Amino acid sequence: MKLKPAINKPSEELALILGPCSAESPDQLEEVVTSTLSMKPDLIRAGVWKPRTRPGHFQGIGAPALDWMANLSRKYGCRFCTEVATAEHVELCLKSGITDFWIGARTTVNPFYVQDIADAIKGQNVRVMIKNPINPDLFLWLGAIERIYQSGIEHISAIHRGFSFYGNSVYRNIPRWQIPIEIKRRYPDLQLLADVSHISGRPEHLLEIAQIALDLNFNGFMAEIHPDPSNALSDADQQVTASFFEEQVLRKLVYRHEKSTDELYNNKIAQIREHIDHIDHELVRLLGERMRLAESIGKEKKSALISIFQPDRWNEIIGRLRHKANENGLSEEFIFSLIEAIHIESIQHQSREMNK
Ligand code: PEP
Ligand code: MN
């Protein structure tokens, strides 16, 4: 794939998509446009068709909001983008002159929907931003990008909005940064944007998420801006005013470089990295050793006709490591996903041994 960015920006500048979760009224949209002018957003976002997880919530104004956007585009010379989930949405947008879209997380999960959208935009001069699917599946995300690309669209960007999960987290959607990092490793030309609002879920996390995205070389942000966040018809908890976003997020970001020419710094880093690499090798060696032990247990359990999984033992391990994690300054969330991954691998080793 030879991808071009959906938002044309010099690489040292951040691409910015700002606007409300949902278009609610012409006045609301106009207020967003005027209040964000100083941040010079590349696109104003506003959802028109809202895929709500559960019924009974505001599902968007629908097609009439496209006319509001078209009018404001004429008045202020700004560009709007919106979410499309069906071929009909695409057609209605094109009719209203909206040629920048995003595909939402609940649509990216379904290759049939993505293909319908891809077919509907074939041959059109449009730019498409593709949010990650709600589940942490790199290939569904890549597949959606490939489907759109195969329909002849070159201007494609990826929007990272975090992943759904069951359980507790300080964020609305777990970032799992390794997935967007992997997508960028495979496609270095892909413009990568962070939807800081849908990851954070609350204004107080916006800066921390935006800073991480910046430090991971993301190319820009999507953020939900509303003139009166607490009375927003959708996603009220996470929207902020334009001035909040400008003063409390954009202005507080620290810009850093990818590389340095300072020799002293480079030597120090090289030394620390050597130490880190050594620890990584040790970790892998120890994990291998742990799996050999799991295999020995598998052998014993096989001859004693004992099942693989003992919930009490698992609870005991988690409890102990949680404690250890705290002692070592590691988050419980991290140690839990780490030990879970180790446990799954361990079960596989035991099971292979038992079913030989
Ligand atoms: C949105 O952008 O308002 C939205 C519904 O996003 P997502 O598809 O990421 O949930
Ligand atoms: Mn939203």
Side-chain angles (χ1 to χ4, degrees), residues 21 45 50 52 172 198 224 235 238:
C21 179
R45 63 152 283 157
K50 298 303 299 176
R52 297 289 85 188
R172 177 175 177 194
H198 283 88
E224 288 191 339
D235 285 350
Q238 71 191 28

